[in-house]
Amino acid sequence: MPAAELMPGDRRVVRAGTFDVGVFNVNGRVVAVQDLCPHERVPICGGRVDGTTLPSSYGRFEWARDGEILACPWHGWEFDLRTGAVLRGPADRPIAVFPVAERDGRLEVEVPG
């Protein structure tokens, strides 16, 4: 996919090898994650991309990391798009994250296999 087509905040789901991958422009950094929630093994990349609340004092809600968090559309579990780490929900493993390289103006996702 042409790198210029993926503006900050945009996403595309593409086929990479034998599975689908979501390619996201997270505040100017391009990341790729497997389009599969580790909980129910359903597509996750169509979920809400937003921020999250940080640990805060009673009666306060501190919002941060806007545009960096992917929420599963089924149960709302939250994952860090940059690392795949579970931020909210009882998921026992992260979502798979893959390296992305830009070559000759095109984005290439490097998947195992």
Side-chain angles (χ1 to χ4, degrees):
M1 120 182 32
E5 289 183 7
L6 196 68
M7 303 304 292
D10 285 352
R11 75 180 103 183
R12 301 283 187 285
V13 176
V14 297
R15 192 76 179 167
T18 59
F19 49 86
D20 290 336
V21 172
V23 182
F24 296 79
N25 185 325
V26 178
N27 300 321
R29 178 179 169 202
V30 178
V31 299
V33 299
Q34 187 173 9
D35 190 18
L36 190 67
C37 181
H39 173 229
E40 291 285 338
R41 305 199 54 80
V42 298
I44 191 172
C45 291
R48 173 181 46 82
V49 175
D50 216 338
T52 192
T53 53
L54 298 177
S56 315
S57 60
Y58 180 78
R60 288 187 46 139
F61 294 96
E62 293 184 43
W63 187 255
R65 307 204 43 211
D66 203 32
E68 298 178 7
I69 311 302
L70 175 63
C72 178
W74 277 34
H75 297 110
W77 293 4
E78 294 180 350
F79 298 87
D80 184 326
L81 276 170
R82 297 172 305 158
T83 66
V86 179
L87 298 178
R88 187 171 62 101
D92 60 353
R93 61 189 177 279
I95 53 175
V97 176
F98 306 110
V100 179
E102 185 176 340
R103 292 187 183 90
D104 299 321
R106 295 190 60 79
L107 297 174
E108 296 180 4
V109 179
E110 301 172 16
V111 297

